[in-house]
Amino acid sequence: MRRSPSSAVNETLVVPLAGGSARATDAVRRLVGPNEPVVFPLAQLANGGRRVLRNRRYERLALVGGPPREEIGYGLSALIALLARPRHVALVDLEREEAISEPLLRYLARSAPFAAAQLMASLAALAAQRVAIPAARRAPRQNAAGPELKKLLYLRPAVGSASAVGGSVTHSHEVIRALRAEGVEVDAYTTDAAIAETAAREPEPPCRWQVARTPLAMKAVPASAAAGGDAALVRAALSAARTTDVIYQRHDRFSLVGALLACVSGRPLFLEYNGSEEFVGRYWNPTPLRGRLVACEEAALDAAARVIVVSEADRTSLLERGLEPERIVVNPNGVEAARYALGGGSDIRRRHGIDADNVVVGFVGTFGPWHGAPVLTRAFAEVASGLPRLHLLLVGEGSELDAARRVVRDAGYQARATVTGQVPPTDVPSYLDACDILVSPHVPLPDGIEFFGSPTKLFEYMAAGKAIVASRLGQIADVLEHRVTAWVVEPGDVSGLADALVALADAPELRRELGAAARRQAIDRHGWQRNARRVIDAYASFVEVTR
C-alpha cells in the first residue's frame, strides 16, 4: 500500500556515499538507531528514484561516508533532503565511527551553499573534460625515451570510494614491487589516500605513494570527480612524466590522466585495462553519463601505445573493438607465494571463536556481483545439517555480502558462520591458513558476456596450499585442473558446489593433495616477477618497432 507524503513513518533513508549498502546500513543501525533502513543509492536519482523520496515520509536521512562531506555526490544530498523531507539529517562517518544529527532546516541552511558551489564547479569540470577527450586521443604512441625500461611513472586514479584493501590494491602494490625488484625505478601517484595508507602500514612498503587530492568542489558526480582528479594528477606528476621512460596507468572510469600526461610529456602510455568500465556502468555501477563514460574509455585506449590486459577474453574484446593486435599485451595476475602457507590460522580461529576441529570453508574478497558469494552460502546451507563440523568464514565486504548473510540467517546457521569485514592485506595469508577449503564461486557475467577476470584471490588461494573449490569459468578454468589442483564445478550450480563441499569435508588427505599441487603451480607459474617481466618485455618490443 502506498503511503501518502504526509504520513509519518519510523524509517531512515540511507544514502551510501561510500562503503557499499551493507556496510552503510550496518553503520546506521549501530550509530544512529534501529529505525527501518531504506537504502537509496545516488544513481537512483536519475533512474526514477525520486518517487521513492516523494511518496513516503522519513524520520531521518543518513548520509554515510568517510566522512560524508568528502565523498562523491555529497553536493546532491541537499537535493535528496529537499525531496525526502526527513525530520532530521545524520552525517555518519565510517572512519571515525560517529554520527552527527541535526534538524532538516538547520542542515539545509548549512549545506546548501556548498552544494550549490559544488554543482557549479562540477559542471565546469565536465565541460573541461569534454574538451580534453579529443586532445587525449592525440597522445603520441611512437616516442620511446630510451632503449631499456629504467624508470616508470605509475598512475592510479580513483574515481569513487577509497580502496584500502581488495584485489586491485594487491595488484598495484605487487606490480610495483616486482618492477622494482627487476631494477625499474617507479614513481607512484594516486588520488586514493587509502591505498597510500595501506602501503605505509606494510612492514616493507612497495612504494611511497604521492597523493594528489581531488578538489571537493568537483565531486558532485563521478565524471566531474574524475576530471578534477585528472587535473590534480597532471599537476602533481608532470615533472615525473617528463623524466620517465613510460607512463603506466591503471584504467578507471572517466579517467584520461595517462593520455593527457602522454600528450604534454611526449612519453608513451601503457594502459592497464582490467575490463570495460562501460560494461560495469551498464550492469553494476549505473551512470546517466554512459556516453561520456564510453568516450573517455575510447580516448584512453586510442592514446595507449600498449594496452595491458589480464586475460585472453579482454584481448578478444579489444580486438573486436578494432585495436591492433600488436598493441595488446596479455599479463595475468599473480601471487608472491613466499608470503603464504606460513601458519597463523590457529590464531585466527581463536580470535573468532572457531573450534580447532571445525572444517572451515572460506571466502575472501570484495563480494562483487561476479564473485557468487550467495551461491556459496546457499550451498553451505544445503549441506550444513549433514556436516555438523562445517563452519563458514567470510572475509571482506561489498554489495553481495548482505545477500550472502541473509541466506545463512534464514537457514538458521548464524552460529556456524563468521563474517569478519575488511582485514588488512598483511592479514590475508593468516585468514587463508585458518581455512580447510577455499571457495571461488564466480558466476557468469550478464547477457552471456565471456568472463574476463583474472581473480587475484585465485592465485592467493593456490599459494595458501589449501583445497580449492572453484567455478569452471574463464581464466579460472584455464589455471585449475579438476581433482589435480582443485575441485572444479559449474558456475552458479548450488548443488554442484554443495556436492564439492561434501566430497572434501571428510577427505583430509585429498584436501592436502589438492592444496600441495596448487601451491606448487603458484610457485612455478604465477609469480609477480613474471608479470613484471612481461611489462619490461613489452617496453623492449615497443622500442624495437619505434626505432
Side-chain angles (χ1 to χ4, degrees):
M1 174 177 171
R2 175 183 287 183
R3 297 186 176 106
S4 67
S6 60
S7 63
V9 295
N10 191 31
E11 291 181 328
T12 296
L13 185 68
V14 179
V15 178
L17 299 173
S21 298
R23 185 182 178 194
T25 301
D26 285 347
V28 169
R29 285 179 173 141
R30 187 172 62 254
L31 300 173
V32 176
N35 292 9
E36 184 63 26
V38 177
V39 178
F40 187 86
L42 278 177
Q44 280 189 244
L45 272 176
N47 192 29
R50 282 169 287 187
R51 290 191 299 272
V52 175
L53 304 178
R54 288 173 175 157
N55 292 344
R56 48 206 303 179
R57 186 74 179 273
Y58 299 94
E59 173 66 24
R60 182 174 282 104
L61 168 64
L63 307 173
V64 185
R69 193 173 186 272
E70 296 186 10
E71 303 291 352
I72 294 174
Y74 180 77
L76 297 174
S77 301
L79 174 61
I80 293 176
L82 281 171
L83 292 171
R85 296 158 298 146
R87 298 180 189 275
H88 296 85
V89 177
L91 300 183
V92 181
D93 191 327
L94 293 173
E95 297 301 319
R96 296 183 179 180
E97 281 286 305
E98 65 181 20
I100 300 173
S101 186
E102 58 188 339
L104 173 63
L105 290 179
R106 185 181 300 171
Y107 166 77
L108 289 174
R110 183 178 54 79
S111 64
F114 171 79
Q118 187 179 75
L119 290 172
M120 293 298 293
S122 295
L123 286 172
L126 290 173
Q129 186 182 63
R130 179 182 295 173
V131 174
I133 289 171
R137 290 179 183 273
R138 296 192 291 269
R141 292 188 197 163
Q142 304 302 321
N143 294 348
E148 297 180 7
L149 180 56
K150 296 181 179 179
K151 188 173 183 181
L152 178 143
L153 171 61
Y154 191 104
L155 301 171
R156 184 186 166 95
V159 184
S161 300
S163 301
V165 299
S168 75
V169 173
T170 299
H171 185 278
S172 289
H173 282 166
E174 296 304 335
V175 167
I176 291 171
R177 204 189 306 268
L179 285 168
R180 292 180 64 191
E182 292 289 328
V184 179
E185 181 183 349
V186 179
D187 291 325
Y189 288 77
T190 185
T191 52
D192 185 354
I195 193 174
E197 293 171 4
T198 295
R201 286 194 296 267
E202 292 197 17
E204 297 180 7
C207 62
R208 181 178 178 274
W209 287 98
Q210 302 294 321
V211 180
R213 303 282 180 173
T214 301
L216 289 181
M218 297 180 183
K219 296 177 75 170
V221 295
S224 62
D230 283 354
L233 281 171
V234 167
R235 286 193 299 271
L238 180 56
S239 177
R242 286 174 170 154
T243 60
T244 195
D245 293 316
V246 69
I247 298 166
Y248 185 105
Q249 184 206 329
R250 183 182 176 92
H251 178 56
D252 202 358
R253 62 194 324 229
F254 296 109
S255 183
L256 299 168
V257 61
L260 294 173
L261 277 172
C263 285
V264 296
S265 69
R267 295 298 191 261
L269 169 65
F270 280 24
L271 186 72
E272 181 194 296
Y273 180 85
N274 291 276
S276 172
E277 290 296 336
E278 188 276 331
F279 168 85
V280 175
R282 192 187 331 152
Y283 292 103
W284 298 323
N285 195 358
T287 172
L289 298 174
R290 270 186 61 192
R292 177 67 60 89
L293 184 67
V294 172
C296 289
E297 181 163 291
E298 289 180 347
L301 289 170
D302 284 348
R306 293 290 182 270
V307 181
I308 313 292
V309 300
V310 295
S311 68
E312 286 291 341
D314 264 342
R315 180 179 183 274
T316 299
S317 72
L318 290 179
L319 291 173
E320 292 172 351
R321 292 174 67 168
L323 267 73
E324 302 88 340
E326 62 271 16
R327 282 207 292 138
I328 306 172
V329 178
V330 179
N331 197 10
N333 287 337
V335 67
E336 181 54 57
R339 297 193 197 131
Y340 293 81
L342 298 177
S346 298
D347 292 338
I348 296 299
R349 289 195 179 208
R350 283 193 293 269
R351 182 187 306 174
H352 293 285
I354 302 172
D355 291 343
D357 65 347
N358 282 151
V359 177
V360 177
V361 176
F363 172 90
V364 179
T366 53
F367 289 85
W370 60 93
H371 283 146
V375 175
L376 167 59
T377 52
R378 289 199 292 271
F380 174 82
E382 191 172 298
V383 302
S385 63
L387 296 170
R389 292 191 301 117
L390 207 64
H391 191 94
L392 186 63
L393 177 62
L394 303 176
V395 182
E397 58 188 31
S399 61
E400 292 285 282
L401 176 57
D402 213 27
R405 288 194 299 189
R406 193 180 308 118
V407 172
V408 176
R409 183 176 64 247
D410 292 348
Y413 292 119
Q414 303 98 307
R416 293 174 58 184
T418 299
V419 181
T420 69
Q422 288 185 346
V423 302
T426 50
D427 288 353
V428 168
S430 295
Y431 276 90
L432 297 182
D433 189 65
C435 301
D436 299 289
I437 304 168
L438 295 167
V439 184
S440 180
H442 287 73
V443 294
L445 299 179
D447 292 340
I449 295 171
E450 187 176 2
F451 186 81
F452 52 78
S454 177
T456 306
K457 79 165 83 279
L458 172 66
F459 302 107
E460 292 176 342
Y461 283 5
M462 295 172 69
K466 298 301 177 81
I468 299 169
V469 178
S471 298
R472 184 179 282 107
L473 192 65
Q475 193 179 101
I476 302 171
D478 295 336
V479 170
L480 297 176
E481 185 177 353
H482 181 54
R483 299 207 66 166
V484 176
T485 52
W487 195 286
V488 182
V489 300
E490 293 305 312
D493 182 1
V494 174
S495 295
L497 180 50
D499 290 343
L501 296 181
V502 171
L504 292 174
D506 292 322
E509 184 58 34
L510 177 58
R511 295 200 304 265
R512 282 192 290 271
E513 290 174 1
L514 294 176
R519 178 167 169 79
R520 285 195 299 271
Q521 188 175 113
I523 294 170
D524 294 342
R525 303 182 189 178
H526 302 297
W528 283 113
Q529 292 306 125
R530 289 174 176 260
N531 186 287
R533 286 304 320 172
R534 293 187 195 105
V535 174
I536 294 169
D537 292 344
Y539 181 82
S541 66
F542 168 73
V543 170
E544 185 68 28
V545 299
T546 55
R547 280 179 177 175

